[in-house]
Amino acid sequence: MQLFYTPDIEPAHPQYFLSEEESKHAIRVLRLEVGSEVQLIDGRGGFYTAVIQDAHPKRTILQITSVTESYNKRNHYLHLAVAPTKNIERLEWFLEKATEIGIDEVSLVISQRSERKEAKVDRLNKIITAAIKQSIKAYHPVLNEPVKLPELLARPFDGQRFIAHCEPGDKLNLRGELLPHGRYLILIGPEGDFTPAEIESALQNGFKPITLGESRLRTETAALEACFEVNFLNRI
Amino acid sequence: MQLFYTPDIEPAHPQYFLSEEESKHAIRVLRLEVGSEVQLIDGRGGFYTAVIQDAHPKRTILQITSVTESYNKRNHYLHLAVAPTKNIERLEWFLEKATEIGIDEVSLVISQRSERKEAKVDRLNKIITAAIKQSIKAYHPVLNEPVKLPELLARPFDGQRFIAHCEPGDKLNLRGELLPHGRYLILIGPEGDFTPAEIESALQNGFKPITLGESRLRTETAALEACFEVNFLNRI
Protein backbone atom coordinates (compact mmCIF):
# COMPACT_ATOMS: atom_id res chain seq x y z
CA MET A 1 0.00 0.00 0.00
CA GLN A 2 1.31 3.47 -0.96
CA LEU A 3 -0.14 5.82 1.65
CA PHE A 4 0.02 9.62 1.58
CA TYR A 5 -1.02 12.11 4.26
CA THR A 6 -3.07 14.82 2.56
CA PRO A 7 -4.61 17.12 5.20
CA ASP A 8 -5.58 19.75 2.61
CA ILE A 9 -7.68 17.41 0.45
CA GLU A 10 -11.28 18.38 -0.30
CA PRO A 11 -13.57 15.32 -0.13
CA ALA A 12 -15.88 16.81 -2.77
CA HIS A 13 -13.10 17.36 -5.31
CA PRO A 14 -12.49 14.47 -7.76
CA GLN A 15 -8.81 15.31 -8.19
CA TYR A 16 -5.88 15.96 -5.88
CA PHE A 17 -2.43 17.37 -6.65
CA LEU A 18 0.41 15.87 -4.62
CA SER A 19 2.87 18.42 -3.22
CA GLU A 20 6.20 18.79 -4.99
CA GLU A 21 7.90 16.71 -2.30
CA GLU A 22 5.26 13.97 -2.33
CA SER A 23 5.21 13.99 -6.15
CA LYS A 24 8.96 13.47 -6.28
CA HIS A 25 8.67 10.66 -3.75
CA ALA A 26 5.81 8.99 -5.64
CA ILE A 27 7.32 9.20 -9.12
CA ARG A 28 11.10 9.22 -8.60
CA VAL A 29 11.39 7.03 -5.50
CA LEU A 30 8.35 4.74 -5.58
CA ARG A 31 8.40 4.76 -9.40
CA LEU A 32 4.62 4.96 -9.55
CA GLU A 33 3.09 5.30 -13.01
CA VAL A 34 -0.17 6.46 -14.58
CA GLY A 35 -2.89 4.14 -13.32
CA SER A 36 -1.02 3.15 -10.17
CA GLU A 37 -3.31 2.99 -7.13
CA VAL A 38 -2.49 4.95 -3.99
CA GLN A 39 -4.23 5.62 -0.67
CA LEU A 40 -4.68 8.96 1.05
CA ILE A 41 -5.57 9.90 4.62
CA ASP A 42 -6.64 13.42 5.51
CA GLY A 43 -6.15 13.21 9.29
CA ARG A 44 -9.84 13.95 9.88
CA GLY A 45 -11.12 10.43 9.36
CA GLY A 46 -11.14 10.40 5.57
CA PHE A 47 -9.54 7.43 3.83
CA TYR A 48 -9.26 7.74 0.05
CA THR A 49 -8.30 5.48 -2.81
CA ALA A 50 -6.96 7.18 -5.92
CA VAL A 51 -5.12 6.42 -9.15
CA ILE A 52 -2.35 8.44 -10.74
CA GLN A 53 -3.72 10.42 -13.68
CA ASP A 54 -0.57 12.40 -14.47
CA ALA A 55 2.75 11.02 -13.18
CA HIS A 56 4.35 14.46 -13.06
CA PRO A 57 7.44 14.39 -10.77
CA LYS A 58 6.60 17.83 -9.34
CA ARG A 59 2.81 17.99 -9.44
CA THR A 60 1.41 14.47 -9.66
CA ILE A 61 -2.32 14.49 -10.37
CA LEU A 62 -4.46 11.91 -8.60
CA GLN A 63 -7.98 10.86 -9.56
CA ILE A 64 -10.00 10.00 -6.45
CA THR A 65 -11.82 6.70 -6.98
CA SER A 66 -13.37 6.16 -3.54
CA VAL A 67 -13.76 7.86 -0.19
CA THR A 68 -14.45 6.36 3.23
CA GLU A 69 -15.39 8.85 5.96
CA SER A 70 -14.84 8.19 9.69
CA TYR A 71 -12.39 5.40 8.81
CA ASN A 72 -11.83 3.23 11.91
CA LYS A 73 -13.39 5.90 14.12
CA ARG A 74 -12.37 5.47 17.75
CA ASN A 75 -15.08 4.71 20.33
CA HIS A 76 -13.75 7.13 22.97
CA TYR A 77 -11.76 10.35 23.25
CA LEU A 78 -8.44 10.35 25.07
CA HIS A 79 -6.61 13.57 25.87
CA LEU A 80 -3.29 12.99 27.65
CA ALA A 81 -1.52 15.91 29.27
CA VAL A 82 2.08 14.89 29.85
CA ALA A 83 5.15 16.79 31.00
CA PRO A 84 7.83 16.87 28.28
CA THR A 85 10.71 14.59 29.27
CA LYS A 86 14.20 16.01 29.86
CA ASN A 87 15.41 13.67 27.10
CA ILE A 88 13.12 14.65 24.22
CA GLU A 89 13.57 11.25 22.55
CA ARG A 90 11.51 9.70 25.35
CA LEU A 91 8.64 12.04 24.54
CA GLU A 92 9.08 11.31 20.84
CA TRP A 93 8.73 7.58 21.23
CA PHE A 94 5.78 8.02 23.55
CA LEU A 95 4.05 10.00 20.79
CA GLU A 96 4.86 7.31 18.22
CA LYS A 97 3.62 4.49 20.44
CA ALA A 98 0.53 6.33 21.70
CA THR A 99 -0.41 7.07 18.09
CA GLU A 100 -0.08 3.40 17.21
CA ILE A 101 -2.11 2.25 20.22
CA GLY A 102 -4.68 5.03 19.96
CA ILE A 103 -4.87 8.61 21.23
CA ASP A 104 -6.80 11.73 20.20
CA GLU A 105 -5.09 14.72 21.80
CA VAL A 106 -1.84 15.41 23.61
CA SER A 107 -1.00 18.47 25.67
CA LEU A 108 2.54 19.19 26.82
CA VAL A 109 2.14 20.39 30.39
CA ILE A 110 4.83 22.39 32.15
CA SER A 111 4.93 21.94 35.92
CA GLN A 112 7.16 23.24 38.69
CA ARG A 113 9.58 20.31 38.54
CA SER A 114 9.73 20.19 34.73
CA GLU A 115 13.37 20.27 33.66
CA ARG A 116 12.21 20.89 30.10
CA LYS A 117 9.91 23.86 29.73
CA GLU A 118 9.54 23.90 25.94
CA ALA A 119 9.24 21.52 23.00
CA LYS A 120 9.14 21.95 19.22
CA VAL A 121 5.59 20.97 18.33
CA ASP A 122 6.28 21.01 14.57
CA ARG A 123 9.01 18.41 14.89
CA LEU A 124 6.94 16.27 17.25
CA ASN A 125 3.97 16.47 14.86
CA LYS A 126 6.12 14.94 12.11
CA ILE A 127 6.63 11.91 14.34
CA ILE A 128 2.89 11.59 14.87
CA THR A 129 2.27 11.91 11.14
CA ALA A 130 4.80 9.18 10.37
CA ALA A 131 3.11 6.97 12.96
CA ILE A 132 -0.40 7.37 11.55
CA LYS A 133 0.92 6.47 8.10
CA GLN A 134 2.76 3.45 9.47
CA SER A 135 -0.27 2.24 11.42
CA ILE A 136 -2.79 3.36 8.76
CA LYS A 137 -4.91 5.72 10.85
CA ALA A 138 -7.16 8.27 9.18
CA TYR A 139 -7.33 10.49 12.26
CA HIS A 140 -4.29 12.62 13.13
CA PRO A 141 -3.90 13.09 16.91
CA VAL A 142 -3.85 16.76 17.94
CA LEU A 143 -0.66 17.98 19.60
CA ASN A 144 -1.04 21.21 21.55
CA GLU A 145 1.61 23.82 22.32
CA PRO A 146 3.19 23.57 25.80
CA VAL A 147 0.91 24.92 28.54
CA LYS A 148 1.54 25.68 32.21
CA LEU A 149 -0.29 23.38 34.64
CA PRO A 150 -2.45 26.09 36.28
CA GLU A 151 -3.75 27.16 32.87
CA LEU A 152 -4.52 23.55 31.91
CA LEU A 153 -6.31 22.92 35.21
CA ALA A 154 -8.49 25.99 34.67
CA ARG A 155 -9.62 24.94 31.19
CA PRO A 156 -13.07 23.39 30.91
CA PHE A 157 -13.17 19.75 29.79
CA ASP A 158 -16.35 17.87 28.98
CA GLY A 159 -15.49 14.44 30.36
CA GLN A 160 -13.67 12.56 33.13
CA ARG A 161 -10.43 14.05 34.43
CA PHE A 162 -7.69 12.13 36.21
CA ILE A 163 -4.24 12.78 37.60
CA ALA A 164 -1.60 10.05 37.98
CA HIS A 165 0.95 10.83 40.69
CA CYS A 166 3.30 9.04 43.09
CA GLU A 167 2.55 10.94 46.31
CA PRO A 168 0.85 9.02 49.16
CA GLY A 169 -2.94 9.01 49.40
CA ASP A 170 -5.96 7.06 48.21
CA LYS A 171 -5.93 6.36 44.48
CA LEU A 172 -8.45 4.88 42.11
CA ASN A 173 -8.03 2.35 39.31
CA LEU A 174 -9.13 3.37 35.82
CA ARG A 175 -10.64 -0.10 35.59
CA GLY A 176 -13.25 0.83 38.18
CA GLU A 177 -13.66 4.51 37.27
CA LEU A 178 -13.69 4.78 33.50
CA LEU A 179 -17.12 5.34 31.95
CA PRO A 180 -17.04 3.28 28.70
CA HIS A 181 -16.83 5.14 25.37
CA GLY A 182 -16.40 8.42 27.21
CA ARG A 183 -14.12 11.44 27.07
CA TYR A 184 -11.04 11.43 29.31
CA LEU A 185 -8.30 13.87 30.24
CA ILE A 186 -5.37 12.29 32.09
CA LEU A 187 -2.49 14.21 33.68
CA ILE A 188 1.00 12.66 33.82
CA GLY A 189 3.74 14.45 35.75
CA PRO A 190 7.42 15.10 35.02
CA GLU A 191 10.47 13.23 36.28
CA GLY A 192 10.26 14.01 39.99
CA ASP A 193 6.44 14.09 39.83
CA PHE A 194 4.03 16.96 40.43
CA THR A 195 4.50 18.90 43.68
CA PRO A 196 2.01 18.19 46.51
CA ALA A 197 0.62 21.70 45.92
CA GLU A 198 0.09 20.99 42.21
CA ILE A 199 -1.66 17.70 43.03
CA GLU A 200 -3.88 19.42 45.58
CA SER A 201 -4.75 22.07 43.02
CA ALA A 202 -5.67 19.40 40.46
CA LEU A 203 -7.89 17.61 42.99
CA GLN A 204 -9.61 20.90 43.87
CA ASN A 205 -10.24 21.37 40.14
CA GLY A 206 -12.08 18.05 39.98
CA PHE A 207 -9.29 15.72 38.83
CA LYS A 208 -9.46 12.26 40.41
CA PRO A 209 -6.23 10.61 41.61
CA ILE A 210 -5.42 7.32 39.89
CA THR A 211 -2.77 4.63 40.18
CA LEU A 212 -1.16 2.97 37.17
CA GLY A 213 0.05 -0.01 39.16
CA GLU A 214 2.74 -0.71 41.72
CA SER A 215 5.73 -0.30 39.43
CA ARG A 216 7.75 2.90 39.51
CA LEU A 217 7.39 4.12 35.93
CA ARG A 218 9.24 6.78 33.98
CA THR A 219 7.14 9.71 32.79
CA GLU A 220 6.80 8.42 29.22
CA THR A 221 6.10 4.87 30.41
CA ALA A 222 3.37 6.09 32.76
CA ALA A 223 1.81 8.08 29.91
CA LEU A 224 1.87 5.04 27.64
CA GLU A 225 0.45 2.84 30.42
CA ALA A 226 -2.48 5.24 30.81
CA CYS A 227 -2.98 5.24 27.03
CA PHE A 228 -2.93 1.46 26.97
CA GLU A 229 -5.38 1.11 29.88
CA VAL A 230 -7.91 3.51 28.37
CA ASN A 231 -7.80 1.79 24.97
CA PHE A 232 -7.91 -1.68 26.51
CA LEU A 233 -10.89 -0.85 28.75
CA ASN A 234 -12.76 0.58 25.74
CA ARG A 235 -12.01 -2.34 23.46
CA ILE A 236 -15.29 -3.98 22.50
CA MET B 1 18.27 6.07 47.34
CA GLN B 2 21.67 4.75 46.20
CA LEU B 3 20.93 1.41 44.59
CA PHE B 4 23.50 -1.13 43.45
CA TYR B 5 22.98 -4.33 41.46
CA THR B 6 24.93 -7.10 43.20
CA PRO B 7 24.09 -10.48 41.59
CA ASP B 8 27.01 -12.22 43.31
CA ILE B 9 25.97 -11.32 46.87
CA GLU B 10 25.52 -14.13 49.40
CA PRO B 11 22.46 -13.50 51.60
CA ALA B 12 24.10 -15.28 54.54
CA HIS B 13 27.24 -13.15 54.46
CA PRO B 14 27.19 -10.01 56.67
CA GLN B 15 29.55 -8.10 54.40
CA TYR B 16 29.78 -7.32 50.70
CA PHE B 17 32.66 -5.87 48.69
CA LEU B 18 31.63 -3.55 45.87
CA SER B 19 33.44 -4.16 42.58
CA GLU B 20 36.24 -1.75 41.64
CA GLU B 21 33.91 0.06 39.22
CA GLU B 22 31.03 0.28 41.71
CA SER B 23 33.43 1.33 44.48
CA LYS B 24 34.80 4.16 42.37
CA HIS B 25 31.24 5.25 41.53
CA ALA B 26 30.15 5.11 45.16
CA ILE B 27 33.12 6.93 46.68
CA ARG B 28 34.42 9.22 43.92
CA VAL B 29 31.17 10.09 42.12
CA LEU B 30 28.44 9.74 44.74
CA ARG B 31 30.88 10.86 47.47
CA LEU B 32 29.48 8.31 49.90
CA GLU B 33 31.25 8.07 53.25
CA VAL B 34 31.58 5.59 56.11
CA GLY B 35 28.12 5.13 57.58
CA SER B 36 26.29 6.11 54.39
CA GLU B 37 23.28 3.87 53.71
CA VAL B 38 22.90 2.13 50.36
CA GLN B 39 20.51 -0.43 48.89
CA LEU B 40 21.40 -3.57 46.98
CA ILE B 41 19.37 -5.83 44.69
CA ASP B 42 20.62 -9.27 43.71
CA GLY B 43 18.30 -9.87 40.75
CA ARG B 44 16.86 -12.97 42.43
CA GLY B 45 14.34 -11.15 44.62
CA GLY B 46 16.71 -10.08 47.38
CA PHE B 47 16.57 -6.43 48.47
CA TYR B 48 19.30 -5.40 50.94
CA THR B 49 20.03 -2.36 53.03
CA ALA B 50 23.68 -1.80 53.93
CA VAL B 51 26.00 0.84 55.32
CA ILE B 52 29.51 1.67 54.15
CA GLN B 53 32.06 0.21 56.58
CA ASP B 54 35.18 1.08 54.58
CA ALA B 55 34.89 3.85 51.97
CA HIS B 56 37.72 2.41 49.87
CA PRO B 57 37.56 3.81 46.29
CA LYS B 58 38.53 0.43 44.81
CA ARG B 59 37.07 -2.11 47.23
CA THR B 60 34.33 -0.47 49.26
CA ILE B 61 33.19 -2.70 52.12
CA LEU B 62 29.49 -2.77 52.96
CA GLN B 63 27.91 -4.03 56.17
CA ILE B 64 24.54 -5.62 55.43
CA THR B 65 21.96 -4.31 57.91
CA SER B 66 18.77 -5.91 56.57
CA VAL B 67 17.60 -8.33 53.90
CA THR B 68 14.16 -8.69 52.30
CA GLU B 69 13.65 -11.83 50.22
CA SER B 70 11.09 -12.07 47.38
CA TYR B 71 10.90 -8.26 47.26
CA ASN B 72 7.77 -7.27 45.32
CA LYS B 73 7.45 -10.78 43.95
CA ARG B 74 5.28 -10.85 40.82
CA ASN B 75 2.00 -12.78 40.89
CA HIS B 76 2.46 -14.38 37.45
CA TYR B 77 5.22 -15.46 35.06
CA LEU B 78 5.48 -13.81 31.66
CA HIS B 79 7.84 -15.15 29.00
CA LEU B 80 7.75 -13.10 25.80
CA ALA B 81 9.38 -14.50 22.66
CA VAL B 82 9.88 -11.61 20.26
CA ALA B 83 11.68 -11.29 16.94
CA PRO B 84 14.60 -8.84 17.20
CA THR B 85 13.74 -5.65 15.31
CA LYS B 86 15.76 -4.56 12.28
CA ASN B 87 16.50 -1.33 14.16
CA ILE B 88 18.00 -2.66 17.40
CA GLU B 89 17.03 0.51 19.30
CA ARG B 90 13.40 -0.54 19.04
CA LEU B 91 14.18 -3.83 20.77
CA GLU B 92 16.25 -1.96 23.36
CA TRP B 93 13.43 0.34 24.38
CA PHE B 94 10.99 -2.56 24.44
CA LEU B 95 13.30 -4.29 26.94
CA GLU B 96 13.52 -1.14 29.06
CA LYS B 97 9.76 -0.58 29.06
CA ALA B 98 8.86 -4.25 29.58
CA THR B 99 11.23 -4.34 32.56
CA GLU B 100 9.56 -1.27 34.07
CA ILE B 101 6.05 -2.65 33.54
CA GLY B 102 6.90 -6.21 34.52
CA ILE B 103 8.32 -9.20 32.67
CA ASP B 104 10.16 -12.36 33.73
CA GLU B 105 11.80 -13.83 30.64
CA VAL B 106 12.49 -12.72 27.08
CA SER B 107 13.52 -14.95 24.19
CA LEU B 108 14.77 -13.49 20.92
CA VAL B 109 13.13 -15.62 18.26
CA ILE B 110 14.45 -15.79 14.72
CA SER B 111 11.81 -16.50 12.08
CA GLN B 112 11.86 -16.76 8.30
CA ARG B 113 11.09 -13.09 7.73
CA SER B 114 13.46 -11.81 10.40
CA GLU B 115 15.76 -9.21 8.85
CA ARG B 116 17.93 -9.36 11.96
CA LYS B 117 19.10 -12.85 12.83
CA GLU B 118 21.36 -12.04 15.77
CA ALA B 119 21.56 -9.70 18.77
CA LYS B 120 24.19 -8.99 21.42
CA VAL B 121 22.61 -10.34 24.60
CA ASP B 122 25.31 -8.84 26.85
CA ARG B 123 24.58 -5.32 25.63
CA LEU B 124 20.82 -5.83 25.87
CA ASN B 125 21.20 -7.21 29.40
CA LYS B 126 22.88 -3.95 30.47
CA ILE B 127 19.72 -2.11 29.41
CA ILE B 128 17.58 -4.47 31.48
CA THR B 129 19.89 -4.03 34.48
CA ALA B 130 19.69 -0.23 34.21
CA ALA B 131 15.90 -0.51 34.05
CA ILE B 132 15.56 -2.67 37.18
CA LYS B 133 17.72 -0.19 39.08
CA GLN B 134 15.67 2.74 37.80
CA SER B 135 12.37 1.07 38.66
CA ILE B 136 13.71 -0.59 41.85
CA LYS B 137 12.99 -4.23 41.00
CA ALA B 138 14.76 -7.01 42.88
CA TYR B 139 14.16 -9.57 40.13
CA HIS B 140 16.28 -9.35 36.98
CA PRO B 141 14.36 -10.51 33.87
CA VAL B 142 16.11 -13.36 32.05
CA LEU B 143 17.19 -12.63 28.48
CA ASN B 144 17.89 -15.72 26.39
CA GLU B 145 20.22 -16.07 23.41
CA PRO B 146 18.52 -15.87 19.99
CA VAL B 147 16.69 -19.08 19.07
CA LYS B 148 15.12 -20.26 15.82
CA LEU B 149 11.33 -20.52 15.88
CA PRO B 150 11.11 -24.30 15.29
CA GLU B 151 13.42 -24.91 18.26
CA LEU B 152 11.36 -22.60 20.47
CA LEU B 153 8.10 -24.24 19.42
CA ALA B 154 9.50 -27.67 20.29
CA ARG B 155 10.53 -26.65 23.80
CA PRO B 156 8.22 -27.73 26.63
CA PHE B 157 6.53 -24.89 28.55
CA ASP B 158 4.49 -25.39 31.69
CA GLY B 159 1.76 -22.81 31.14
CA GLN B 160 -0.42 -21.09 28.53
CA ARG B 161 1.11 -20.42 25.12
CA PHE B 162 -0.10 -17.80 22.66
CA ILE B 163 0.92 -16.42 19.29
CA ALA B 164 0.03 -12.90 18.11
CA HIS B 165 -0.10 -12.60 14.34
CA CYS B 166 -1.76 -10.49 11.64
CA GLU B 167 -2.90 -13.24 9.25
CA PRO B 168 -6.67 -13.80 8.84
CA GLY B 169 -8.42 -16.31 11.08
CA ASP B 170 -10.23 -16.56 14.40
CA LYS B 171 -8.33 -14.97 17.24
CA LEU B 172 -8.84 -14.87 20.98
CA ASN B 173 -8.53 -12.00 23.44
CA LEU B 174 -6.12 -12.43 26.36
CA ARG B 175 -8.87 -10.90 28.48
CA GLY B 176 -11.01 -13.98 28.00
CA GLU B 177 -8.24 -16.57 27.85
CA LEU B 178 -5.69 -15.71 30.52
CA LEU B 179 -5.82 -17.87 33.63
CA PRO B 180 -5.06 -15.43 36.50
CA HIS B 181 -1.65 -15.64 38.22
CA GLY B 182 -0.51 -18.22 35.70
CA ARG B 183 2.50 -18.84 33.49
CA TYR B 184 2.39 -17.49 29.94
CA LEU B 185 4.54 -17.72 26.83
CA ILE B 186 3.60 -15.24 24.11
CA LEU B 187 5.07 -15.18 20.59
CA ILE B 188 5.47 -11.88 18.73
CA GLY B 189 6.58 -11.93 15.10
CA PRO B 190 9.02 -9.79 13.10
CA GLU B 191 8.32 -6.85 10.79
CA GLY B 192 6.38 -8.61 8.05
CA ASP B 193 4.90 -11.08 10.53
CA PHE B 194 5.35 -14.85 10.82
CA THR B 195 4.76 -16.84 7.63
CA PRO B 196 1.45 -18.77 7.37
CA ALA B 197 3.49 -21.99 7.67
CA GLU B 198 5.15 -20.76 10.87
CA ILE B 199 1.77 -19.80 12.33
CA GLU B 200 0.32 -23.20 11.41
CA SER B 201 3.28 -24.89 13.05
CA ALA B 202 2.77 -22.86 16.24
CA LEU B 203 -0.93 -23.76 16.33
CA GLN B 204 -0.09 -27.44 15.84
CA ASN B 205 2.30 -27.11 18.78
CA GLY B 206 -0.53 -25.90 21.02
CA PHE B 207 -0.12 -22.13 20.76
CA LYS B 208 -3.43 -20.24 20.73
CA PRO B 209 -3.87 -17.34 18.28
CA ILE B 210 -4.58 -13.99 19.94
CA THR B 211 -5.37 -10.46 18.84
CA LEU B 212 -3.84 -7.38 20.47
CA GLY B 213 -6.54 -5.07 19.14
CA GLU B 214 -7.44 -3.59 15.77
CA SER B 215 -4.45 -1.29 15.42
CA ARG B 216 -1.58 -2.27 13.18
CA LEU B 217 1.32 -2.32 15.63
CA ARG B 218 5.06 -2.43 15.09
CA THR B 219 6.84 -5.51 16.43
CA GLU B 220 8.11 -3.80 19.58
CA THR B 221 4.76 -2.10 20.18
CA ALA B 222 2.91 -5.40 19.87
CA ALA B 223 5.34 -6.99 22.32
CA LEU B 224 4.83 -4.14 24.80
CA GLU B 225 1.04 -4.28 24.31
CA ALA B 226 1.11 -7.98 25.22
CA CYS B 227 3.23 -7.15 28.27
CA PHE B 228 0.77 -4.41 29.27
CA GLU B 229 -2.24 -6.71 28.90
CA VAL B 230 -0.79 -9.59 30.90
CA ASN B 231 0.29 -7.33 33.77
CA PHE B 232 -2.98 -5.40 33.73
CA LEU B 233 -5.12 -8.55 33.75
CA ASN B 234 -3.09 -9.91 36.69
CA ARG B 235 -3.25 -6.70 38.70
CA ILE B 236 -5.07 -7.37 41.95
Side-chain angles (χ1 to χ4, degrees):
Chain A
M1 178 185 296
Q2 304 298 354
L3 190 69
F4 294 87
Y5 174 54
T6 57
D8 59 340
I9 194 170
E10 293 166 21
H13 203 293
Q15 285 184 323
Y16 180 76
F17 292 68
L18 285 180
S19 68
E20 183 166 345
E21 185 184 355
E22 296 270 42
S23 295
K24 183 180 176 186
H25 180 66
I27 307 307
R28 296 273 186 247
V29 180
L30 300 176
R31 303 255 177 231
L32 300 177
E33 303 168 340
V34 171
S36 299
E37 185 177 277
V38 299
Q39 282 73 31
L40 316 175
I41 48 177
D42 64 13
R44 303 180 303 276
F47 183 91
Y48 307 72
T49 301
V51 292
I52 293 182
Q53 195 171 48
D54 179 354
H56 194 290
K58 289 190 174 181
R59 41 180 286 289
T60 302
I61 305 176
L62 303 177
Q63 177 74 39
I64 309 300
T65 55
S66 75
V67 185
T68 304
E69 296 293 341
S70 306
Y71 178 78
N72 287 349
K73 189 169 173 40
R74 286 160 50 70
N75 65 7
H76 61 280
Y77 190 90
L78 173 58
H79 179 180
L80 263 179
V82 58
T85 50
K86 182 181 175 188
N87 173 352
I88 197 70
E89 286 184 0
R90 294 185 170 277
L91 176 64
E92 290 173 356
W93 84 242
F94 158 72
L95 291 173
E96 177 185 295
K97 296 312 164 198
T99 300
E100 283 181 57
I101 292 166
I103 194 164
D104 302 281
E105 185 174 356
V106 176
S107 289
L108 303 175
V109 61
I110 309 302
S111 74
Q112 286 183 40
R113 293 182 183 156
S114 294
E115 292 197 54
R116 173 184 293 278
K117 303 206 180 286
E118 46 68 47
K120 293 191 171 59
V121 167
D122 289 354
R123 172 191 164 86
L124 297 172
N125 247 324
K126 287 192 174 69
I127 287 164
I128 294 175
T129 301
I132 63 169
K133 288 173 70 173
Q134 193 277 333
S135 56
I136 313 175
K137 295 190 184 304
Y139 291 90
H140 194 299
V142 175
L143 178 63
N144 302 317
E145 290 288 341
V147 56
K148 291 199 167 124
L149 182 61
E151 185 182 335
L152 185 85
L153 295 180
R155 287 181 186 168
F157 178 78
D158 172 25
Q160 293 181 284
R161 296 179 300 170
F162 302 99
I163 178 171
H165 67 81
C166 307
E167 289 289 320
D170 293 343
K171 294 175 190 169
L172 307 161
N173 274 292
L174 285 178
R175 190 179 213 155
E177 288 299 309
L178 224 54
L179 299 174
H181 310 333
R183 290 171 50 84
Y184 324 105
L185 170 57
I186 302 179
L187 266 175
I188 306 289
E191 290 99 336
D193 206 1
F194 291 116
T195 66
E198 288 177 322
I199 294 166
E200 183 54 35
S201 176
L203 300 183
Q204 285 173 2
N205 278 274
F207 284 74
K208 291 183 178 179
I210 56 168
T211 174
L212 297 172
E214 294 311 304
S215 292
R216 171 171 137 168
L217 304 176
R218 289 177 177 273
T219 291
E220 73 278 9
T221 318
L224 197 62
E225 169 79 31
C227 183
F228 155 76
E229 290 192 19
V230 168
N231 277 275
F232 189 69
L233 290 169
N234 278 288
R235 199 186 293 171
I236 300 159
Chain B
M1 178 185 294
Q2 304 298 354
L3 191 68
F4 295 87
Y5 175 54
T6 57
D8 59 341
I9 194 169
E10 294 165 20
H13 203 290
Q15 285 185 323
Y16 180 76
F17 293 68
L18 285 179
S19 67
E20 183 166 346
E21 185 184 356
E22 296 271 40
S23 296
K24 183 180 177 186
H25 180 66
I27 307 308
R28 297 273 187 245
V29 180
L30 300 175
R31 302 259 177 229
L32 299 178
E33 302 167 340
V34 170
S36 300
E37 185 177 277
V38 299
Q39 281 74 31
L40 315 175
I41 47 176
D42 64 13
R44 302 179 304 276
F47 182 90
Y48 307 73
T49 301
V51 292
I52 294 182
Q53 196 172 48
D54 180 354
H56 193 292
K58 290 191 173 181
R59 40 179 287 288
T60 301
I61 304 175
L62 304 177
Q63 176 74 38
I64 309 300
T65 55
S66 75
V67 186
T68 304
E69 295 295 341
S70 306
Y71 179 78
N72 288 349
K73 187 170 173 43
R74 288 161 47 72
N75 66 6
H76 62 279
Y77 191 90
L78 173 59
H79 178 180
L80 264 178
V82 57
T85 50
K86 181 182 175 186
N87 173 351
I88 197 68
E89 286 184 0
R90 294 184 172 277
L91 176 63
E92 289 172 356
W93 86 241
F94 159 72
L95 291 173
E96 177 185 295
K97 296 312 164 201
T99 300
E100 283 181 57
I101 293 157
I103 194 164
D104 303 281
E105 185 174 356
V106 175
S107 289
L108 304 175
V109 61
I110 308 303
S111 75
Q112 286 184 38
R113 293 181 183 156
S114 294
E115 292 196 54
R116 173 184 294 278
K117 305 208 180 283
E118 46 68 48
K120 293 191 171 56
V121 167
D122 289 354
R123 173 191 163 87
L124 296 172
N125 246 325
K126 287 191 174 71
I127 288 165
I128 294 175
T129 301
I132 65 170
K133 288 173 70 174
Q134 193 276 335
S135 57
I136 313 176
K137 296 190 184 303
Y139 292 90
H140 194 300
V142 174
L143 178 63
N144 302 316
E145 290 288 341
V147 55
K148 292 196 168 135
L149 182 61
E151 185 182 336
L152 185 87
L153 294 180
R155 286 181 186 167
F157 179 77
D158 172 26
Q160 293 182 284
R161 296 180 299 170
F162 302 99
I163 178 170
H165 67 81
C166 307
E167 289 289 321
D170 293 343
K171 294 176 191 170
L172 308 162
N173 274 292
L174 285 179
R175 192 180 210 155
E177 288 299 310
L178 223 55
L179 299 174
H181 311 331
R183 291 171 51 84
Y184 325 105
L185 169 58
I186 302 179
L187 267 176
I188 306 289
E191 291 97 338
D193 206 0
F194 291 115
T195 65
E198 287 176 322
I199 294 167
E200 183 54 35
S201 176
L203 300 183
Q204 284 172 2
N205 278 275
F207 284 74
K208 290 183 178 179
I210 56 167
T211 173
L212 296 173
E214 294 311 304
S215 293
R216 171 171 136 167
L217 304 176
R218 288 178 177 272
T219 291
E220 74 279 7
T221 318
L224 196 63
E225 169 79 26
C227 186
F228 272 132
E229 293 193 17
V230 169
N231 278 276
F232 188 69
L233 291 168
N234 279 287
R235 200 187 292 170
I236 301 158

